[in-house]
Amino acid sequence: MVLVFIASAGAHASVTMLGTRVIYPADAGEQALRFSNPDDHPNLVQVWIDDGRAGAADTDALPSPFLVVPPVFRVEPRGGQVVRLSYVGTALPQDRESLFFLNFLQVPALKADSVGDNQLVLTVRSRMKLFYRPASLASEADAARAPDALAFFIESTDTAASVVVHNASPYHVVVQQAALLVAGQEQVLTRATVISPFQQLRWPLARVPADVSSLRVQLRVVNDVGVEVLHDYPLR
């Protein structure tokens, strides 16, 4: 079933899914996703998975390594729906997490006597991160300590400078904001980014203070349960 829709960026999603992200353990047979509809009218919902590549807005653009059952469903007024998520793709790396994205599109159900009328149907698409976590990385405590494995240093040339961050952990670190602390003032480096396992990123600096010995980097990191945690790092 394909839903024909007009997307509305300003519309408010009423159908919600429990949680702010999905952690899918590799040894799980399936994961239950719970949706609820607080409206006094039914809504249709379509669910699909993508890996973040271009074209992911189109549900048919890329094959999904996950099976979603049911992929399209109706949620009754003030009701709920459980969706089963199963990994059916080829083997993924077992030494690090893999990141995917779970999308769900909400469309208000139309009354039978209004079908065929000229009308504007507003839909809302929601998107959240889905982490495929190998069995060897199943420890929640280890995942919570992933930000401790980040290291920062300044890299400069004659024409430019950057703060370089290296993630030595096998986990993704979700960053709400990264800032350089200069004499008690914040110089924002980036917002809403993900530092992948074993990845190195460069964040351009607007200016480099003459004395870098006291500089620190402050991250607002979002953990597994969606809570923002403040982390402070020295520059090495």
Side-chain angles (χ1 to χ4, degrees):
M1 176 178 181
V2 177
L3 302 180
V4 179
F5 59 91
I6 299 175
S8 173
H12 175 69
S14 52
V15 173
T16 58
M17 196 190 89
L18 181 64
T20 60
R21 65 210 52 233
V22 178
I23 309 295
Y24 190 98
D27 55 0
E30 64 179 20
Q31 191 88 335
L33 309 177
R34 291 177 170 81
F35 292 84
S36 61
N37 176 24
D39 293 338
D40 57 5
H41 58 78
N43 285 287
L44 297 178
V45 178
Q46 183 174 20
V47 182
W48 72 98
I49 311 296
D50 71 75
D51 62 3
R53 288 182 292 173
D58 182 353
T59 60
D60 297 321
L62 297 169
S64 172
F66 288 88
L67 177 65
V68 180
V69 180
V72 180
F73 52 89
R74 170 182 168 127
V75 191
E76 299 300 331
R78 307 197 181 282
Q81 173 75 38
V82 174
V83 172
R84 304 294 178 183
L85 178 69
S86 303
Y87 186 79
V88 294
T90 57
L92 289 170
Q94 295 301 298
D95 65 338
R96 68 195 68 190
E97 285 183 330
S98 295
L99 174 62
F100 297 89
F101 294 89
L102 183 145
N103 308 267
F104 61 95
L105 187 73
Q106 170 190 326
V107 184
L110 300 178
K111 295 182 179 178
D113 57 6
S114 68
V115 175
D117 295 345
N118 291 327
Q119 55 187 305
L120 177 67
V121 178
L122 296 180
T123 69
V124 182
R125 176 188 172 196
S126 299
R127 198 164 191 248
M128 64 177 61
K129 295 176 180 64
L130 189 167
F131 298 98
Y132 179 91
R133 189 166 288 173
S136 60
L137 306 179
S139 168
E140 294 181 3
D142 287 347
R145 287 192 291 267
D148 297 338
L150 299 179
F152 295 84
F153 59 92
I154 287 183
E155 186 177 82
S156 59
T157 65
D158 293 338
T159 58
S162 303
V163 169
V164 181
V165 54
H166 176 68
N167 180 8
S169 83
Y171 300 93
H172 291 82
V173 178
V174 180
V175 177
Q176 187 66 25
Q177 177 182 286
L180 186 66
L181 301 183
V182 183
Q185 301 296 313
E186 286 189 358
Q187 182 178 335
V188 176
L189 299 169
T190 190
R191 290 189 173 92
T193 191
V194 177
I195 309 172
S196 299
F198 311 122
Q199 182 184 38
Q200 192 172 88
L201 293 179
R202 285 172 173 79
W203 297 327
L205 276 176
R207 62 186 184 279
V208 182
D211 180 14
V212 299
S213 61
S214 61
L215 296 182
R216 300 187 70 82
V217 174
Q218 188 176 83
L219 296 189
R220 299 182 183 276
V221 175
V222 182
N223 64 17
D224 273 1
V225 295
V227 175
E228 190 176 287
V229 181
L230 198 63
H231 292 265
D232 192 83
Y233 304 87
L235 277 165
R236 299 176 182 175

